[in-house]
Amino acid sequence: RKEVEQDPGPFNVPEGATVAFNCTYSNSASQSFFWYRQDCRKEPKLLMSVYSSGNEDGRFTAQLNRASQYISLLIRDSKLSDSATYLCVVNGGNPSGSARQLTFGSGTQLTVLP
Amino acid sequence: ETGVTQTPRHLVMGMTNKKSLKCEQHLGHNAMYWYKQSAKKPLELMFVYNFKEQTENNSVPSRFSPECPNSSHLFLHLHTLQPEDSALYLCASSQEGGTKYFGAGTRLSVL
């Protein structure tokens, strides 16, 4: 089983649609969770952290379910500029305390169509 | 600009060449990283440096040799690479445990 697993997509949605991405992780000791966004041929950039209570940033909502080891990202009222690959990222929860060890999923590709 | 600069942006090399990738961060971070991103695969962590000391080497072949002369600069020396080493090589920096900021990457093609 992959450490971090995402549906690769692609997701093709019309402008204004709501789209949700899911991600599962295998290490129950994982401590921190993030969504990164990577535009075509560019570097990944932090989109938002994911907190246990769920968090929202404008049109973006992130949820964490520790029991199911599952993270989600919801994008409402999608814009053309949301087209990118969305990477689920999990802190490895290494018992030796390596908080630097982030594990990236393969990414989910989103295309928002006019 | 994220404050992490990588050069060159593109590199084509033969299997017998020796080349180096350079990364420089202007963020005052104490940790730097090399990642490899191959098509359709997750980002793979290669090396971690913390306060100039290498703290992680994720079973990377010896044809990749990192160097960290100071906490702002990181190099990846390449020699006798294989075609399967063609990928995007990303440098990142962070405060320990903090958000990683990535450079734009070096797109490497090994012929």
Side-chain angles (χ1 to χ4, degrees):
Chain A
R1 185 183 171 185
K2 291 182 185 175
E3 286 188 66
V4 179
E5 198 144 7
Q6 292 183 250
D7 182 342
F11 284 62
N12 299 319
V13 303
E15 254 186 303
T18 296
V19 60
F21 304 137
N22 301 321
C23 170
T24 57
Y25 60 94
S26 61
N27 186 348
S28 59
S30 298
Q31 303 288 324
S32 312
F33 309 89
F34 310 89
W35 284 101
Y36 273 70
R37 170 194 169 131
Q38 186 170 21
D39 291 290
C40 186
R41 306 186 78 81
K42 299 260 181 96
E43 73 276 18
K45 292 183 180 177
L46 180 66
L47 177 65
M48 59 197 302
S49 300
V50 186
Y51 302 119
S52 296
S53 53
N55 49 299
E56 192 173 303
D57 182 2
R59 298 180 293 107
F60 298 83
T61 301
Q63 297 274 353
L64 168 63
N65 183 323
R66 284 190 186 272
S68 302
Q69 294 178 209
Y70 167 99
I71 306 155
S72 66
L73 176 68
L74 183 78
I75 306 176
R76 290 181 300 277
D77 188 24
S78 51
K79 313 287 185 194
L80 296 177
S81 57
D82 294 333
S83 298
T85 296
Y86 290 83
L87 301 167
C88 175
V89 183
V90 175
N91 176 299
N94 188 321
S96 68
S98 175
R100 304 176 288 276
Q101 180 74 316
L102 295 184
T103 302
F104 286 75
S106 302
T108 299
Q109 186 181 335
L110 171 67
T111 303
V112 180
L113 304 168
Chain B
E1 288 297 323
T2 62
V4 181
T5 305
Q6 286 187 247
T7 54
R9 292 293 306 276
H10 302 274
L11 179 62
V12 179
M13 60 187 288
M15 292 168 62
T16 57
N17 291 157
K18 287 186 181 180
K19 296 284 184 185
S20 296
L21 311 186
K22 180 182 175 183
C23 178
E24 184 175 357
Q25 59 98 357
H26 311 278
L27 301 168
H29 290 160
N30 52 34
M32 295 187 77
Y33 315 79
W34 280 115
Y35 283 87
K36 175 183 178 182
Q37 188 173 36
S38 303
K40 305 295 183 187
K41 289 187 180 178
L43 274 167
E44 301 169 50
L45 180 64
M46 300 174 73
F47 301 105
V48 180
Y49 277 82
N50 198 35
F51 291 104
K52 302 188 301 177
E53 299 298 321
Q54 184 176 316
T55 54
E56 288 183 43
N57 175 342
N58 280 1
S59 303
V60 180
S62 60
R63 57 187 185 268
F64 295 91
S65 173
E67 179 191 358
C68 189
N70 55 62
S71 55
S72 299
H73 292 85
L74 185 65
F75 295 90
L76 187 63
H77 303 301
L78 316 172
H79 64 98
T80 59
L81 294 192
Q82 305 297 312
E84 61 264 28
D85 296 323
S86 298
L88 179 68
Y89 289 84
L90 290 160
C91 173
S93 72
S94 73
Q95 290 294 84
E96 183 163 354
T99 301
K100 287 186 172 63
Y101 292 85
F102 286 85
T106 296
R107 192 161 294 279
L108 174 68
S109 297
V110 181
L111 305 178

